[in-house]
Amino acid sequence: MKQLLDLAAVFGYLSLLTVGGGMAAFPELKSLTVDTYHWVTFPELMHYYSLGQLAPGPNMMMVASIGAQVAGLPGAAVVLVAFILPTGLLTFGIGRLWNRLADWPWRPAVQRGLGSVSVGLVLAGGIVLARGALTNTLTVALAIGVFALLMLTKINPAIPIVASGLIGIALYLI
Amino acid sequence: MNAHAATPKGPKLPVAPPPTLWRLFLAFLTMGATSLGGGVIAYLRTGLVSHYRWLDDETFVELMAISQSLPGLNATNMSILSGDRLRGWPGAFFAALGMCLPGAALMTAAAFAVGIGGDDPISKAFLHAIAAGAVGLITVVLVQLGAKVLGEIADYAFVVLTAVLVAFLHVPVLVALLGVGALAIWWHRPRKGTAPKPVDPHFKDHP
């Protein structure tokens, strides 16, 4: 029970940090689930995160994996509700207020100000992920390859990511 | 840079009547199950605006701007907002449920699968290489987000400041968000006589 409450508190808090995208919460996700609570190891977290990139739907549904690993199906359910419900209610409320906010002179300032901070948070998340994932020449080359391919073509991102995984297996086997 | 270059200006499609709750749920479940690879917003626009014609482009862009300024996952926020427009609060609930259910079920199943095969060196090699690929994807998202959101040198400074505080100095994210956020909002505060620069909310690539 204590564990479910901890899961709910941690993921409820993390959901508030996802301004601009789920990656913004990654540094805090790592420090809480790996360093503070020891629910997963850093490689496990990275592996779930990467699998989450392949799954359909919102990109942070991987939080369900952490909940499931800690406390089975109830864990997954608690984490999902804690991660989605509070911000969902907030969005719902603000969505209904929006028309009244339309002429608020501070609105563009808030939008632009939070915009740069959220890009900064995504960058921080990327740095934390890269520190764990880019450990040798092969992984650096894969990251650059995926980046180049996605910048230059309209290919579905799942394809180069799966391809990276297959290259990883192929090089392990030879 | 023309901030509105990305907004399609073609002939306006007629908007269809709002769907039943069940049709709405099925549509979001389908989009939630097929939006592989992280580009959910693109799938949502294709579905809601082009295919079902439940929303026009202007409404979609408006909802997108709200989604991005608030905490929460973009795809989930978009589902809640468009579900609410179409069918009130039950619509918002079932849209978000349909969007999240397939991915959440898969990732829950993945936890059990990895728990069983997690020490297998081949799956480790696979997952580690995927993580490297994901770093490439995040960089692309960063470039696209940056191009849309950042306007002047000061914006880049706020980005770097936030990232350094969080990734290198280990300042808690909430502190960085509130601190740099307040600074950045103050920087862009409304001034008399200057029209605020519009932010391009049209966002159709990887969220």
Side-chain angles (χ1 to χ4, degrees):
Chain A
M1 194 60 215
K2 168 88 171 67
Q3 210 157 38
L4 291 181
L5 288 176
D6 285 343
L7 282 172
V10 164
F11 283 92
Y13 164 66
L14 287 172
S15 75
L16 300 176
L17 307 178
T18 54
V19 184
M23 196 60 190
F26 193 80
E28 204 84 338
L29 176 69
K30 189 246 170 196
S31 95
L32 285 170
T33 59
V34 176
D35 306 329
T36 308
Y37 285 96
H38 309 287
W39 285 326
V40 287
T41 64
F42 189 31
E44 278 172 338
L45 179 68
M46 281 194 308
H47 293 168
Y48 284 136
Y49 177 79
S50 347
L51 271 183
Q53 298 299 305
L54 299 177
N59 59 348
M60 289 298 278
M61 289 299 101
M62 51 77 66
V63 296
S65 307
I66 301 173
Q69 178 164 328
V70 176
L73 280 181
V78 163
V79 161
L80 283 169
V81 171
F83 197 65
I84 294 169
L85 197 65
T87 56
L89 289 174
L90 181 72
T91 301
F92 183 78
I94 300 277
R96 295 206 158 181
L97 264 175
W98 190 247
N99 292 336
R100 270 185 256 176
L101 286 173
D103 295 323
W104 188 42
W106 280 80
R107 206 186 83 179
V110 171
Q111 219 169 315
R112 291 203 64 191
L114 288 185
S116 22
V117 176
S118 66
V119 173
L121 290 178
V122 175
L123 174 60
I127 292 169
V128 172
L129 181 66
R131 262 190 215 136
L134 306 187
T135 47
N136 52 32
T137 324
L138 164 73
T139 44
V140 174
L142 285 175
I144 294 174
V146 171
F147 172 75
L149 206 60
L150 291 177
M151 285 305 285
L152 298 173
T153 67
K154 290 256 166 216
I155 193 170
N156 184 325
I159 297 168
I161 291 192
V162 171
S164 318
L166 296 179
I167 293 172
I169 293 182
L171 290 178
Y172 172 79
L173 290 177
I174 49 175
Chain B
M1 194 183 79
N2 181 355
H4 292 285
T7 310
K9 285 276 189 272
K12 238 173 122 177
L13 298 167
V15 175
T20 62
L21 207 52
W22 176 243
R23 284 266 294 145
L24 179 90
F25 175 68
L26 281 187
F28 276 88
L29 189 70
T30 311
M31 291 187 283
T34 52
S35 51
L36 288 164
V40 186
I41 292 307
Y43 289 89
L44 275 170
R45 198 198 150 273
T46 312
L48 295 175
V49 179
S50 310
H51 183 68
Y52 298 108
R53 296 185 185 176
W54 290 336
L55 297 176
D56 57 24
D57 246 321
E58 278 140 41
T59 312
F60 188 85
V61 170
E62 184 196 341
L63 300 182
M64 198 60 239
I66 311 176
S67 297
Q68 282 179 285
S69 323
L70 292 175
L73 309 173
N74 276 333
T76 316
N77 283 352
M78 271 307 281
S79 308
I80 289 170
L81 294 173
S82 38
D84 186 30
R85 289 286 170 113
L86 294 169
R87 278 276 135 194
W89 70 264
F93 177 78
F94 281 104
L97 188 68
M99 174 52 65
C100 294
L101 208 55
L106 259 171
M107 289 311 294
T108 305
F112 293 110
V114 170
I116 298 160
D119 282 331
D120 171 34
I122 293 188
S123 54
K124 268 191 177 164
F126 179 70
L127 291 169
H128 196 86
I130 284 185
V135 173
L137 173 61
I138 271 295
T139 316
V140 174
V141 173
L142 210 52
V143 170
Q144 288 170 340
L145 259 181
K148 287 200 168 99
V149 176
L150 307 178
E152 50 188 275
I153 307 259
D155 291 334
Y156 288 87
F158 296 134
V159 170
V160 173
L161 180 61
T162 309
V164 168
L165 287 176
V166 172
F168 296 102
L169 304 176
H170 303 288
V171 171
V173 173
L174 202 57
V175 175
L177 181 67
L178 296 177
V180 186
L183 187 69
I185 291 170
W186 179 250
W187 179 268
H188 291 294
R189 70 190 173 277
R191 292 177 180 90
K192 274 197 177 140
T194 50
K197 259 173 87 179
V199 175
D200 177 15
H202 195 72
F203 191 76
K204 53 176 185 169
D205 300 297
H206 320 296

